[in-house]
Structure formats: structure tokens, C-alpha cells
Amino acid sequence: MTVIIAFLANVLVAVAKTVAAIITASASMVAEAAHSWADAGNEVFLLIADRRGGRTKDQRHPLGYGRSAFVWSLIAAFGIFTAGSIVSIMHGIQELSETGPVESPIVAYTVLGISFVLEGASFTQAMVKSRRLARERGASTWDFVLETSDTTLRAVFFEDAAALIGLALAGGAIAMHQITGVAAWDAVGSILVGVLLGVVALILIKRNVAFLVGTNASPTLRARVGRALLASPHIQRVTYLHIEYVGPNRLFVVAEVDLAGDAREHDVARRMRAIEQQIEANAVIETVVLSLSVDDEPSLDFGETEA
């Protein structure tokens, strides 16, 4: 739903900005139009990411299709960089030498104001969701958005935040052009919007690449998984724990454990498989693989058990 709201908002805003850019001949409005069309196109990639990444695992993909969400989100991030950032910067540079008054500035201000309301509504929805999830994990909203494996939520959050900042930059640039009569201000606005989009794109690219090549789970998540394993009455201790993201909010867990009791090998195998199936019933666990610990291996410490 977050992506759909953002997509509809971006399409409406892109159409309005395009019309305003034609009427006003403003470089900042052209940059904003390119920004919104890039965002609208990126939402399509994010919808594909959600659909492809949500497919259930099969024999060819035993860890599921979750990583495809990172791939499509990476493509969306490159879209912001190329269609939004580069176009805005290049157009701004070309317009630096132009002169002349602002044409129909009221049109530009009206469209920017309406766009701010629409983008603000989309950003508010993403912010509310991010804050709620951050509180559940005991993290700040900023840290959660940066670290979360939910690449779609992060993309919408950053794109909408950049859209609001970009609208302020465009409005300020047009105002300075109108006040001073120097058209270079309008061109500078276009360049600044492009730089802003470039920064956002690089952040999103970096985070998606990190999840694709493999990134360590946070200490908090590692402790939560470790305590969850020890909460099982069948597990006495954990000596090895590997956690890997295989998709947004999807984990692959490998652990070496020491089981309670001294059952026969056949019974141990059945018990371990039953424990794996119990753990995999959790919505965030894609696959878990357990093996037996060696007696002399030290136990891992996951802090105090949660009440």
C-alpha cells in the first residue's frame, strides 16, 4: 500500500509539474518534473520488487526469491540517479547562461504547493509506518530506515523526503529569480535538485548492494534470534550462529546447538528437524539449519532473556 500511494501521488505531481514547466519555462520546474517522473517509474520497479521477492521458495531457489527484491530496488535507485539527478544537473548547467524574467510564477508556486501537499501525504504514511516499526525494535526512526531490510519502505521514505526538500529548493530558486531578475538562480535550483537526487540514489544503491553481497545482522537481531533458540526447552546452549538476509524481512539461520538429554542418534535427528520446523513457522524465517555442537565449544552469550 505504501508503494501504491507513493506511485499515485508521483503520477499526479509529475503531470502537474510538466504542465507548469511548459508554461513557466523554469529550469527548476523542469528538474522537478523529471524528478517526479523518475519517482513514478521507480515505484513500478518497487512494485515488481515486492511481487518477485514474495514468491515462495522451490527446488531451484531453496532460500526463496527474496533477493530479487534487492535487485529490482537497485534498478529503481539507478533510475533516480540517471533519470532524475543527471538530467536535472545537466539541464541546470545548460540554463546557467540564460536570462529573462520568470514567466507565470503563480503557476509554478501553485503547482509546487499542491505537490508539497501530495508528497507530504505520501511521506507521512511512510513516516508513520517507519516510526511504528522502529519503536517495536527499540531503534530510532532514522537508524531503522537506514538498516531495515525492507528496501521498498526505505526507498519510498527517502524518495518522498527528497521530493519535499526538492520542492522547497525549486520554490526558493524561482523566488530568487523573480526577486533579483537573475535567471541563474533558477538554473542553480535545478542543479541543487539534481545533487539532492544523486545523494539519495547513492544511499539507496549502497544499501541494496550491501544486502545483495551479504551484510551482518545487527547485534540486537542476533541477540533476539539467539534468545529465541535458547527459549526452546530442547536446546541447552548455542555455540555458533549465522544470520543472513535472503530478502526483505526474510532470514536464513544456521546454528550449532547442544540438545537437552542424551537421546539416540535417530531420536536426535527427529528432534532437531521438529525444532527447525517450529522455528520456520516464524514469518521472518525463510530457512533454518541446525547441527550439533562439539562438547568443548564455548557457548554464545546473548544477554539477559527477554521477559
Side-chain angles (χ1 to χ4, degrees):
M1 181 59 69
T2 303
V3 180
I4 294 176
I5 292 174
F7 173 74
L8 294 176
N10 280 321
V11 170
L12 291 174
V13 169
V15 171
K17 287 179 180 177
T18 300
V19 173
I22 294 173
I23 294 174
T24 64
S26 166
S28 293
M29 288 305 302
V30 171
E32 278 298 304
H35 178 181
S36 292
W37 282 117
D39 281 353
N42 292 338
E43 306 306 337
V44 175
F45 288 121
L46 294 177
L47 288 170
I48 296 174
D50 281 346
R51 185 177 181 83
R52 296 286 180 89
R55 289 183 294 176
T56 56
K57 58 185 177 183
D58 52 34
Q59 291 184 345
R60 294 187 62 187
H61 297 84
L63 296 180
Y65 291 83
R67 284 195 178 95
S68 63
F70 300 138
V71 173
W72 285 99
S73 297
L74 181 63
I75 294 173
F78 273 113
I80 297 175
F81 188 77
T82 55
S85 177
I86 295 178
V87 169
S88 298
I89 292 174
M90 292 301 297
H91 183 71
I93 292 174
Q94 292 173 356
E95 295 293 319
L96 277 174
S97 60
E98 294 295 320
T99 59
V102 180
E103 298 181 20
S104 305
I106 190 64
V107 173
Y109 293 137
T110 301
V111 170
L112 290 174
I114 295 174
S115 299
F116 197 91
V117 172
L118 293 174
E119 295 284 8
S122 178
F123 178 71
T124 299
Q125 200 270 347
M127 174 64 81
V128 169
K129 182 176 181 179
S130 298
R131 282 183 173 175
R132 175 174 57 81
L133 294 174
R135 283 196 301 268
E136 292 176 0
R137 290 159 175 77
S140 68
T141 303
W142 178 256
D143 288 340
F144 168 76
V145 172
L146 278 178
E147 300 298 328
T148 181
S149 61
D150 190 341
T151 185
T152 299
L153 177 60
R154 177 170 48 250
V156 172
F157 183 96
F158 274 102
E159 286 178 11
D160 288 343
L164 293 175
I165 297 172
L167 289 169
L169 290 173
I174 293 173
M176 290 301 296
H177 181 184
Q178 186 178 12
I179 293 170
T180 65
V182 179
W185 280 109
D186 192 21
V188 169
S190 178
I191 294 172
L192 290 177
V193 169
V195 171
L196 171 67
L197 293 179
V199 171
V200 169
L202 291 176
I203 292 174
L204 296 179
I205 289 170
K206 181 180 178 180
R207 295 306 298 151
N208 282 298
V209 168
F211 282 107
L212 281 172
V213 302
T215 184
N216 291 331
S218 68
T220 301
L221 176 60
R222 182 177 174 81
R224 287 174 59 192
V225 173
R227 287 194 291 263
L229 289 171
L230 292 173
S232 171
H234 304 291
I235 297 178
Q236 285 188 330
R237 64 195 187 100
V238 179
T239 60
Y240 174 81
L241 179 60
H242 170 77
I243 304 173
E244 181 179 344
Y245 286 100
V246 292
N249 301 315
R250 304 296 294 175
L251 300 174
F252 171 49
V253 179
V254 179
E256 291 182 3
V257 300
D258 188 6
L259 297 183
D262 191 18
R264 295 176 301 174
E265 181 179 350
H266 180 268
D267 293 332
V268 168
R270 285 183 175 274
R271 287 172 61 190
M272 291 189 69
R273 186 62 195 128
I275 296 171
E276 289 174 346
Q277 291 173 340
Q278 183 180 25
I279 295 172
E280 287 174 354
N282 191 304
V284 302
I285 303 298
E286 187 70 49
T287 302
V288 60
V289 177
L290 300 179
S291 60
L292 292 176
S293 302
V294 178
D295 292 341
D296 60 356
E297 289 181 333
S299 301
L300 297 179
D301 182 14
F302 301 108
E304 296 294 329
T305 303
E306 294 179 334

